[in-house]
Amino acid sequence: MGTGCVTTKPVIEARGLDLTFQTSDGPIQALKGVDLAIEKGEFVSFIGPSGCGKTTFLRVIAGLEQATGGSVTVNGMTPDEARRERAYGYVFQAAGLYPWRTIAGNIKLPLEIMGYPRSERDARVEKVLELVDLDGFGKKYPWQLSGGMQQRASIARALAFDADIMLMDEPFGALDEIVRDHLNEQLLELWARTEKTIGFVTHSIPEAVYLSTKIVVMSPRPGRISDVIDSPLPRDRPLGIRDTPEFLAVAHRVREGLRAGHAYD
Amino acid sequence: MRSVIPILTMVAAIVVIWYGAAIGMNAQWARDQAARAGTTLSTSELIADTWSQERPKLPAPHQIVAELWKTTAMMKPTSKRSLVFHGWITLSATMLGFVFGTGAGILLAIGIVHSRSMDMGVMPWAIASQTIPIIAIAPMIIVVLNSIGITGLVPKAIISAYLSFFPVVVGMVKGLRSPDAMQLDLLRTYNASKPQALWKLRFPASLPYLFASLKVGVAASLVGTIVGELPTGAIRGLGARMLTGSYYGQTIQIWSALFAAAILAAGLVGIIGLVQRLTLRRMGAV
Ligand SMILES: Nc1ncnc2c1ncn2[C@@H]1O[C@H](COP(=O)(O)OP(=O)(O)OP(=O)(O)O)[C@@H](O)[C@H]1O
Ligand SMILES: [Mg+2]
C-alpha cells in the first residue's frame, strides 16, 4: 500500500499550490503559491498565526480539500488517489473516539474498514497500544481516560494500519505543558521506531523546534510559506536539548519568521 | 426512593379530584332518581350513590378498577368480554404496524440522509401526510381495504404504521446526521464506503435518537390501531370496546378500556425504555 514511490522523489510535493474557498461573503484565499517538498522519514512542523492555512494545507495533502491551483503529489499520486490507497493516518485536533467503542474497538475501526483479517486485528491493537504507552487500557471506554490518554489513543488509531505518512493537526493543542512534553518525547521515540513521514501542525515554537527536522513557517492573508528551516539538531533529542544554544537559535529564527509574517499585514 | 413521594402525591391528588368530580357529575342523576321514587337523600347517601351508579357520567376510580379486575383476572382470556382478549387483538395490530412503520421510517431516513433529491422530494410528503387527520381517513382506509377483501389485522396495522413511521423518520434523519464533520472526515481518510460509514458511525450515533422516536412511535401506533377499530363496527379490540360501551351507555366499560389502553401504552414505552437502557449500557454509556 502506498509504497510504490521512488525513494529519491519527495513523499509529499506541492508546487504553486493555491486554494480559494468560495463563501457567501465572497472568495477567501486560504493558500497562495505554496511550494514545499517533504522527503521520506522527515518530521515537518507547520507553524503560523491562526487562519494562515495550516489545517487547509494538511487537508489538501490528505485529499479532504481540493486545490484550486498548482499541484500536490503524495507518493507520486494525487492526494485523492493516495487517500484511496490509504497512504496516511490523520490525527485531528480532537481525539474523536467513538464513545460506544472501547479503546481497542476504536483502534480496530480503521482495521475493520480496511478489511484486515480478524486474527490480525488484536495483535495490531496490542502493538500500537504499547507504542503510545497505553497497554492495558484496551477494554476501557473513552470517557474513562484523560484527555491526553484519549489523544494518544487517537494516535494509536492512526498508527494501527500500514500508512507511512502521519498527518497531525494540533494533536496536543488542548493539553497542559507537562503532559505535552511527555507526549512530545513519546512521539519522537515513536517516529524513530516507525520511520514514518510526519506532518505536524502546532502553535508552539518550542514544540515545533523540539520535534522537527524541518519547520515550515507560514503567514496569513493569503496563507503562504514565509520560511522553511532545516533543523541542525541531531535526530536523538533528550528534553534537555531545549536549553542548548542550537535549539534557541532555531527557535529565534522561527520567531523572527512569524514576526515578519505579521509585519507583512 | 425519594422519587416515589412526588409520584404518589400526584396520584393521590388526582384520585381525590376524581372522586370529587364524580360526586359533582353524577349527583343530578342520583337526585332525579330519588325524586322519582319520592324520597330524599342525605348527603352521605348521595355521595355513596354517586360512587356506585351502574351508568354514571363519570365512574369512580374503584368502579373502574373493579371492572378491570373483573374483565381480566376473573375471566378466561378467550372470552369475548375479557379485556385481555380485546387487548391482545389491539396489541397484535399495534406491534405489526409498529414494526412496519419503524422499518419504513428507518429505510426512508437512510434514503433521505444519502440522497439530496430524496431529502427534497420525500420529506415534504412525509410532513404533509401527518397533517391529514387520522380520524378522517381511517374509515376510508378500512372500507377500501375491506372492499378488496383485506380485513382484520392488516388494515388496522396499516393505520398504526402510518402514525408511527413519522416520528421515526424525523428522529432517524436527525440521528443519522448527528456525527460531526470531523468524524465523517476521519472515515474519508480511511476511504470508507457509504455503507461502512452508515453501519460503523451513523447508525450507532443515531441510536439515542431512535429510541426517543420509538417511544413516541409506539404510543402513536397504539392510538392508530384504536382509531382503526373505532369507526368500522369492529367487534374486537379495545377501540371496539370503547365504541360498544358508548352505544350502550356503559361508561364503566369505556373507561376500563381506556385504562387498559393506557396501561398497554405505558408497558410498551417501558419495554422500549428497558431495551434502550440495556443497549446503551452495552455501548459503554455508564
Ligand atoms: N471550509 C472552509 N470554507 C471557507 N473558508 C475556510 C474553510 N476552511 C478554512 N477556511 C478559511 O481559510 C483560512 C485558513 O484556515 P485554516 O483552518 O487552514 O487556518 P489554520 O492555520 O489552521 O488556523 P488555526 O491555527 O486557527 O487552526 C481561514 O481564513 C479560514 O476562515
Ligand atoms: Mg487549524
Side-chain angles (χ1 to χ4, degrees):
Chain A
M1 293 179 137
T3 46
C5 65
V6 189
T7 39
T8 51
K9 273 189 84 178
V11 173
I12 297 165
E13 188 168 32
R15 283 209 200 129
L17 183 72
D18 290 328
L19 195 146
T20 307
F21 288 110
Q22 299 300 337
T23 70
S24 50
D25 304 334
I28 294 178
Q29 188 153 39
L31 294 171
K32 184 173 160 57
V34 171
D35 291 300
L36 187 69
I38 299 175
E39 306 295 332
K40 185 163 171 53
E42 275 197 289
F43 195 126
V44 182
S45 286
F46 299 89
I47 191 165
S50 191
C52 70
K54 305 180 293 293
T55 296
T56 306
F57 186 47
L58 223 57
R59 288 173 62 86
V60 171
I61 296 171
L64 297 174
E65 218 81 70
Q66 291 299 321
T68 48
S71 72
V72 200
T73 58
V74 179
N75 285 339
M77 297 174 271
T78 67
D80 223 39
E81 285 165 354
R83 181 175 67 78
R84 274 186 241 116
E85 295 277 306
R86 291 151 176 168
Y88 61 84
Y90 201 109
V91 180
F92 294 85
Q93 182 161 5
L97 301 170
Y98 290 1
W100 58 83
R101 283 178 176 241
T102 60
I103 298 304
N106 270 286
I107 295 170
K108 274 184 206 160
L109 175 71
L111 303 177
E112 290 168 15
I113 287 172
M114 297 177 188
Y116 281 80
R118 201 173 283 272
S119 53
E120 203 185 317
R121 293 179 201 161
D122 289 317
R124 281 180 178 262
V125 169
E126 283 304 310
K127 201 184 90 191
V128 292
L129 277 177
E130 196 193 315
L131 272 179
V132 299
D133 210 6
L134 277 180
D135 357 18
F137 285 92
K139 288 202 173 67
K140 294 264 193 280
Y141 281 94
W143 57 271
Q144 294 170 304
L145 269 60
S146 73
M149 291 161 97
Q150 290 186 24
Q151 197 52 270
R152 275 186 288 167
S154 87
I155 292 171
R157 184 177 57 185
L159 288 170
F161 52 99
D162 299 312
D164 42 39
I165 304 171
M166 280 268 271
L167 301 173
M168 309 174 84
D169 191 356
E170 295 188 54
F172 309 138
L175 306 176
D176 73 69
E177 202 83 3
I178 305 291
V179 175
R180 217 167 154 150
D181 281 353
H182 182 59
L183 291 183
N184 283 341
E185 256 187 309
Q186 278 189 327
L187 184 59
L188 272 188
E189 208 176 288
L190 201 148
W191 170 64
R193 275 165 77 178
T194 57
E195 299 178 326
K196 287 183 193 280
T197 310
I198 299 185
F200 186 95
V201 172
T202 180
H203 275 133
S204 155
I205 297 175
E207 188 172 69
V209 178
Y210 176 65
L211 291 173
S212 322
T213 57
K214 181 181 271 183
I215 301 154
V216 177
V217 183
M218 297 179 71
S219 58
R221 275 164 302 239
R224 71 213 118 79
I225 293 176
S226 55
D227 196 6
V228 178
I229 303 162
D230 282 303
S231 174
L233 302 176
R235 284 210 163 201
D236 189 28
R237 301 173 184 181
L239 270 178
I241 204 170
R242 295 182 299 184
D243 299 320
T244 63
E246 293 86 355
F247 186 97
L248 296 174
V250 179
H252 180 75
R253 188 169 154 198
V254 174
R255 189 169 290 114
E256 289 299 308
L258 287 173
R259 202 169 287 157
H262 269 295
Y264 194 84
D265 268 354
Chain B
M1 272 298 101
R2 220 186 284 151
S3 62
V4 171
I5 292 169
I7 295 174
L8 286 182
T9 313
M10 270 311 287
V11 170
I14 289 171
V15 168
V16 167
I17 292 169
W18 193 327
Y19 272 109
I23 297 172
M25 291 184 69
N26 302 334
Q28 193 57 46
W29 166 264
R31 280 199 212 96
D32 289 350
Q33 286 298 93
R36 214 165 294 158
T39 54
T40 49
L41 295 168
S42 71
T43 311
S44 61
E45 279 170 336
L46 178 72
I47 292 174
D49 186 271
T50 58
W51 288 349
S52 58
Q53 292 170 5
E54 201 174 318
R55 293 178 183 182
K57 280 195 180 126
L58 178 65
H62 69 266
Q63 290 180 289
I64 298 168
V65 171
E67 171 78 7
L68 275 172
W69 180 253
K70 200 180 83 187
T71 51
T72 54
M74 304 297 284
M75 231 174 245
K76 270 198 299 189
T78 48
S79 159
K80 292 277 183 294
R81 291 182 56 214
S82 162
L83 266 185
V84 177
F85 169 77
H86 291 285
W88 168 249
I89 299 284
T90 301
L91 178 66
S92 51
T94 300
M95 290 320 292
L96 187 66
F98 177 61
V99 167
F100 276 99
T102 303
I106 292 175
L107 289 180
L108 208 59
I110 291 172
I112 286 172
V113 167
H114 285 90
S115 148
R116 207 176 138 64
S117 54
M118 256 190 99
D119 187 11
M120 294 173 34
V122 174
M123 206 53 183
W125 290 103
I127 293 168
S129 76
Q130 300 300 307
T131 62
I132 303 167
I134 188 69
I135 289 282
I137 61 159
M140 294 196 292
I141 294 174
I142 304 269
V143 168
V144 167
L145 288 175
N146 277 355
S147 73
I148 57 169
I150 302 172
T151 56
L153 199 65
V154 175
K156 291 190 288 180
I158 288 175
I159 296 169
S160 161
Y162 172 86
L163 281 193
S164 66
F165 97 97
F166 187 66
V168 174
V169 171
V170 173
M172 277 305 274
V173 166
K174 194 158 167 44
L176 292 172
R177 283 191 178 144
S178 64
D180 58 27
M182 194 203 81
Q183 301 231 301
L184 293 168
D185 278 343
L186 180 69
L187 288 183
R188 275 187 73 198
T189 69
Y190 302 152
N191 194 27
S193 66
K194 280 195 172 172
Q196 283 176 326
L198 176 68
W199 193 242
K200 305 260 184 223
L201 173 62
R202 289 186 189 273
F203 193 66
S206 73
L207 279 184
Y209 297 83
L210 176 64
F211 280 114
S213 301
L214 289 184
K215 287 181 191 168
V216 180
V218 79
S221 256
L222 185 66
V223 171
T225 305
I226 289 173
V227 168
E229 288 167 345
L230 280 179
T232 50
I235 45 170
R236 297 156 161 206
L238 293 177
R241 272 309 263 185
M242 291 176 203
L243 198 69
T244 50
S246 79
Y247 284 157
Y248 301 110
Q250 299 283 5
T251 44
I252 299 179
Q253 180 185 322
I254 299 176
W255 279 88
S256 65
L258 216 55
F259 265 69
I263 292 166
L264 210 54
L268 291 171
V269 171
I271 289 170
I272 291 174
L274 197 69
V275 174
Q276 173 179 28
R277 218 168 324 139
L278 292 177
T279 312
L280 295 187
R281 185 174 304 162
R282 274 207 53 195
M283 288 173 63
V286 178

